[in-house]
């Protein structure tokens, strides 16, 4: 029991770090540098994870890593940065908390993988909560921010669908590291062309970049994947609720954002929807990132196995971004193709 509690505490680091990421990005990082912001988040984190698991992709996983890196890192991180800058922290965290539910619905449309009734009900309740929170705010809600959030959900859901189809395996941390590096390398020339040369961060901005890259990405992914391997799926799914709760707490208590009764009711509906859609029982949770379904030498009950509804519900990692970006699913034993 004590060992299990320690794993719960370690896994909780991830959703809390992701929830705080909205606040840190909005308050301390430059609003006009989303490409550089995403690149400086991805590259250091990728190098750190690769240092922990120095293995190279093999075969088809070279181009698969590039595709998933483009979606789950380059696209998702940029869109998440824009959403965090454009929306109040409490709003951004609540909207993105519904991403596993939107992912579940999109996977249903794209793969005909019909979700269970409880998962579908959870999706409808959660999305209704997002609508209630947005429509009852007295302050105007940024349309670019909402558009970025919706696009981030779409990009991460597409990454999830692709990862669910690419089931033969590679080591999860190594695959995530290479996705981060691939996405970051794509962003570098784009940032240089469209945003000019980077400005060396200093002071609080440097500390904020360090937090985003080291804590909210490298450490959070490592902690989340560790928990997915050792805790029941339902426990991991509930821990994911700490993500929006952290964002709302920081937004209201620290940033001074208003949260009236209608917005609070919307938040409750979102949390209830995610709780309804969470996995029931089982020994493995869904992934935080698209790479989670490709873990090496893991039995069939590994984290990441199960239907899309189960997987998406567990990957409540919005601020990190549904993990590396999208949930990954898959079934069957992983083939150890990916590491050297």
């Amino acid at each position: 029991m004590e060992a299990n509690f320690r794993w719960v505490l370690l896994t909780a680091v991830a959703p809390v770090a992701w929830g705080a990421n909205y606040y840190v990005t909005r308050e301390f990082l430059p609003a006009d540098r989303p490409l550089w912001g995403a690149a400086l988040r991805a590259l250091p984190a990728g190098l750190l994870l690769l240092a922990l698991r120095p293995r190279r992709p093999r075969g088809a996983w070279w181009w698969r890593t590039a595709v998933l890196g483009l979606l789950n890192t380059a696209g998702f991180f940029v869109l998440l940065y824009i959403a965090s800058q454009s929306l109040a922290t409490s709003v951004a965290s609540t909207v993105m908390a519904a991403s596993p539910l939107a992912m579940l619905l999109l996977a249903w449309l794209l793969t005909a993988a019909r979700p269970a009734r409880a998962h579908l009900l959870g999706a409808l309740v959660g999305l209704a909560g997002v609508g209630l929170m947005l429509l009852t705010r007295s302050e105007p809600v940024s349309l670019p921010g909402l558009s970025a959030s919706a696009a981030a959900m779409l990009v991460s859901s597409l990454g999830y669908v692709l990862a669910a189809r690419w089931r033969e395996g590679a080591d999860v941390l190594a695959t995530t590291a290479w996705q981060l590096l691939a996405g970051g390398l794509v962003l570098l020339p784009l940032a240089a062309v469209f945003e000019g040369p980077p400005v060396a961060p200093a002071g609080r901005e440097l500390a904020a970049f360090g937090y985003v890259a080291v804590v909210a990405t490298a450490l959070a992914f490592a902690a989340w994947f560790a928990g997915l391997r050792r805790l029941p799926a339902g426990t991991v799914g509930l821990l994911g609720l700490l993500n929006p709760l952290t964002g709302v707490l920081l937004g209201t208590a620290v940033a001074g954002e208003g949260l009236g009764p209608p917005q609070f009711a919307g938040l409750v509906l979102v949390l209830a929807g995610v709780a309804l859609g969470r996995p029931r029982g089982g020994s493995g949770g869904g992934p935080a990132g698209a790479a989670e379904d490709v873990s090496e030498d893991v039995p069939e009950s590994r984290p990441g196995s199960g239907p899309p509804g189960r997987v998406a519900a567990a990957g409540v990692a919005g601020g990190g971004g549904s993990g590396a970006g999208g949930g990954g699913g898959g079934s069957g034993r992983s083939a150890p193709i990916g590491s050297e």
Side-chain angles (χ1 to χ4, degrees):
M1 178 66 70
E2 182 179 350
N4 197 55
F5 181 68
R6 288 200 298 267
W7 283 115
V8 168
L9 290 180
L10 176 64
T11 308
V13 169
V16 170
W18 287 324
N21 183 62
Y22 301 105
Y23 173 77
V24 172
T25 300
R26 179 177 173 84
E27 296 294 326
F28 301 112
L29 296 184
D32 59 345
R33 295 294 182 99
L35 295 172
W36 278 118
L40 292 177
R41 176 182 183 180
L43 290 172
L47 291 172
L48 285 172
L49 291 182
L50 193 61
L52 291 176
R53 199 64 64 101
R55 301 180 180 183
R56 297 197 304 268
R58 287 183 182 177
W61 269 104
W62 280 109
W63 67 265
R64 290 177 179 178
T65 296
V67 172
L68 293 176
L70 184 63
L71 294 171
N72 296 339
T73 299
F76 184 79
F77 280 8
V78 170
L79 292 167
L80 190 67
Y81 193 100
I82 295 172
S84 299
Q85 291 285 358
S86 304
L87 298 173
T89 297
S90 56
V91 174
S93 58
T94 302
V95 171
M96 290 306 299
S99 60
L101 309 177
M103 187 185 302
L104 183 151
L105 295 177
L106 186 62
W108 184 14
L109 293 175
L110 294 178
T111 66
R114 184 181 180 87
R117 289 183 180 179
H119 297 153
L120 185 58
L121 177 61
L124 296 176
V125 170
L127 295 176
V130 171
L132 177 63
M133 188 169 192
L134 295 178
L135 295 175
T136 57
R137 288 183 63 87
S138 57
E139 307 89 350
V141 178
S142 166
L143 182 58
L146 287 180
S147 300
S149 294
M153 291 183 192
L154 180 63
V155 166
S156 64
S157 297
L158 179 57
Y160 157 69
V161 171
L162 290 176
R165 291 182 176 181
W166 296 336
R167 292 175 180 174
E168 60 266 37
D171 183 271
V172 57
L173 278 183
T175 304
T176 303
W178 283 103
Q179 287 186 49
L180 290 167
L181 292 174
L185 291 174
V186 168
L187 289 170
L188 282 181
L190 295 176
V193 170
F194 292 103
E195 296 178 357
V199 178
R204 294 194 305 175
E205 188 175 283
L206 178 61
F209 272 119
Y211 172 85
V212 167
V214 177
V215 179
T217 307
L219 175 61
F221 285 173
W224 188 250
F225 291 147
L228 284 166
R229 288 179 178 274
R230 293 169 175 86
L231 296 174
T235 300
V236 177
L238 287 177
L239 286 174
L241 299 180
L242 293 172
N243 181 337
L245 288 176
T246 301
V248 170
L249 179 62
L250 288 174
T252 54
V254 180
E257 300 167 1
L259 190 68
Q263 291 80 48
F264 183 78
L267 172 64
V268 170
L269 284 177
V270 171
L271 299 180
V274 175
L276 281 172
R278 71 182 176 87
R280 300 315 198 262
S283 61
E292 177 56 22
D293 75 309
V294 291
S295 52
E296 183 179 41
D297 294 327
V298 184
E300 292 187 13
S301 62
R302 75 192 191 286
S305 62
R310 172 190 177 96
V311 173
V316 192
S322 296
S331 59
R333 185 179 296 274
S334 298
I337 66 167
S339 304
E340 292 182 340

